[in-house]
Amino acid sequence: MKNRNTLGDLQNFTLTHYPTSAEEITKLVIDFNERREKFFAVSTGNNWGYGCDHSHQKTTHCLNLKHMNRILDFDEPNGLITIEPGVTYGQLAEFLKNKDSDWITPVHGGGPDCSLIGNTLERGYGITPITDHYQACQGLEAILPNGKKYNSSLKSIGQYKLDQLFRNGVGPYLDGIFTQSNFGIVTQMTLKLAPKSQKIELFFVDIREADLGSISLSIKILKQKLGTSLGGINLMNKERLLSMLVDYPQKDIKERKALSDDFVKSKVKEQMISDWTLVGAIYGDKEIVKAVKKIVKKELRYINTRKVFINEGKINLLDKISRIFPTIFGRDIRSKVESLVGIINILNGIPQNTALKLAYWKNLNEAPDNNLNPNRDNCGLIWYAPLVEMHVSKVLEYVKFVRDVSNRFNITPLITLTTVDDLCFDSTIPILFNRDDLEDQTRAHEYFNTLFKEGRKKGFYPYRLGTNSMPQFLDDLDDDYKKLLSDLKKVFDPNNLFAPGRYIPGDLSQGKFSLVSDEQDKKSQII
């Protein structure tokens, strides 16, 4: 039976396979090559907002690796964990909890049911101390599209332990070519975990619109000075924060309207939030946290608005109080405290659904209390996630650009700027739509395409792509780079059967790939 993903795209593959071992994958891949049948692979298929368990081209076979979910090795003294692609954030967190381990899971906002390897291969990130998840990859194994096996260099010469300890290996570094590509199916990976911090302190700062440029510079300076003692910093506009705190009016969903200025103003006043909100976290021993906190306060001393520093102990106390008194002076404090608990759990490596609930904001059906699944629950979500230079003028230009395009499409702009390092923000724009409304879905895709194309001209480009944007990326590449990728693809996949067109062009002599191959799919998919 065909189904749709959060992009609204129609499933365009025929058969799903659930291998349980690398050996099974090898047999399947060899068989597909003999029959010249196209195939692709997903770790769990829970890549919300980027394509999930769908391919962007007509494909015969999907290899879903969710049953390959073994934790193969745990070197606790070194914080090294070797896992298969079906291992989820929730599974690893539970494993470490049962071990009473001093290491934490490198979680992100996608919830407990997403694959660690899947996110790592897409070069995803989070706000725990190891922000860039691929930087935690110490080594991997993969099955190539031609059925052969790949090992990192040290492992291939029998140095198994050194392979885990020294990520760069010896000779050309090839592990990285399996990220954001179609060069192979990764069957296991060793990850370096971050240690638990003795103390974590959250801080929130209200930012006026007039201070947006100067706060961007302050964030850059703080990241340069403090490194990993200061975790990922999020800078969210008021509309993005409201999406976590209030319901979208059902009338406006049905009428395809953006939130009105009056609604936003009233809710901003009710929720006591500012134009922008800065959310950060400090990690380390008590002495380090105390020193870093002092530096943060000094750097932000010119911001004459509310600054709140709160540690885990205070959040736990508020949690207990809000369970007894969910409202105080007519204000709902319970939902805000639940958000605080969710954030502190994420910082402690415990995956949460706190951020994933966003996918349900324009869904006319109420989100379930547990077991969130945006695909199953008919949520409409597309992520636009461009890199933005951490420079005052570029940040201001970017925000104006997003607002202008949003006004053009009558869509409420939900803007987050997250620190990747001290050089770039990664901005995430969740594009939400009513998946039961074809017109709303069409508008959402046109909005994304406009952001993508016009953003490129202004120097803003996504750090990762969904199945909807692969063709645009391939069109943007220059001919020399395309030729290089195409030549590599012929070596790894001479028959061009594995996930053709995914980040990598195929045989250029065969012309460009098409998203769909028949008239029916052209009508049913929105590109």
Side-chain angles (χ1 to χ4, degrees), residues 52 69 202 253 293 325 418 456 476 487 508 515:
C52 299
N69 58 1
L202 272 173
I253 296 174
K293 181 177 176 181
F325 304 106
T418 303
R456 176 184 182 271
D476 289 343
D487 289 346
L508 297 182
L515 276 177

Side-chain angles (χ1 to χ4, degrees), residues 398-425:
Y398 172 73
V399 170
K400 182 180 184 303
F401 155 65
V402 172
R403 285 176 174 160
D404 288 346
V405 175
S406 301
N407 288 334
R408 212 184 306 167
F409 284 88
N410 193 27
I411 289 176
T412 300
L414 308 179
I415 306 174
T416 301
L417 294 158
T418 303
T419 56
V420 178
D421 48 29
D422 60 8
L423 301 174
C424 275
F425 285 114

Side-chain angles (χ1 to χ4, degrees), residues 106-108 119 123-136 194 223 227-228 230-233 283 418-421:
V107 297
H108 64 357
N119 183 261
R123 302 203 285 267
Y125 65 91
I127 56 173
T128 51
I130 301 178
T131 304
D132 181 344
H133 289 169
Y134 183 67
Q135 290 305 309
K223 291 298 291 182
T228 57
L230 188 64
I233 293 177
Y283 296 89
T418 303
T419 56
V420 178
D421 48 29

Side-chain angles (χ1 to χ4, degrees), residues 2 4-5 7-13 54-58 438 441-442 445 467-468 515-527:
K2 291 194 173 185
R4 294 181 182 274
N5 59 12
L7 304 177
D9 287 341
L10 187 69
Q11 175 182 306
N12 58 357
F13 58 90
H54 288 40
S55 64
H56 71 280
Q57 290 191 11
K58 194 78 174 176
L438 185 59
Q441 181 178 320
T442 303
H445 279 265
T467 54
N468 61 314
L515 276 177
V516 289
S517 58
D518 58 63
E519 208 57 40
Q520 181 180 4
D521 279 352
K522 286 181 181 177
K523 294 178 181 178
S524 63
Q525 291 196 33
I526 293 177
I527 307 305

Side-chain angles (χ1 to χ4, degrees), residues 29-39 145-147 489-498 500 506-507 510 513:
V29 167
I30 291 173
D31 184 52
F32 299 154
N33 274 271
E34 288 176 351
R35 292 189 285 166
R36 296 293 193 270
E37 293 178 342
K38 293 180 181 179
F39 62 101
N146 58 15
K489 178 65 170 172
K490 290 175 187 175
V491 174
F492 287 84
D493 185 11
N495 297 317
N496 193 32
L497 298 176
F498 179 53
D507 186 348
Q510 296 176 1
F513 288 107

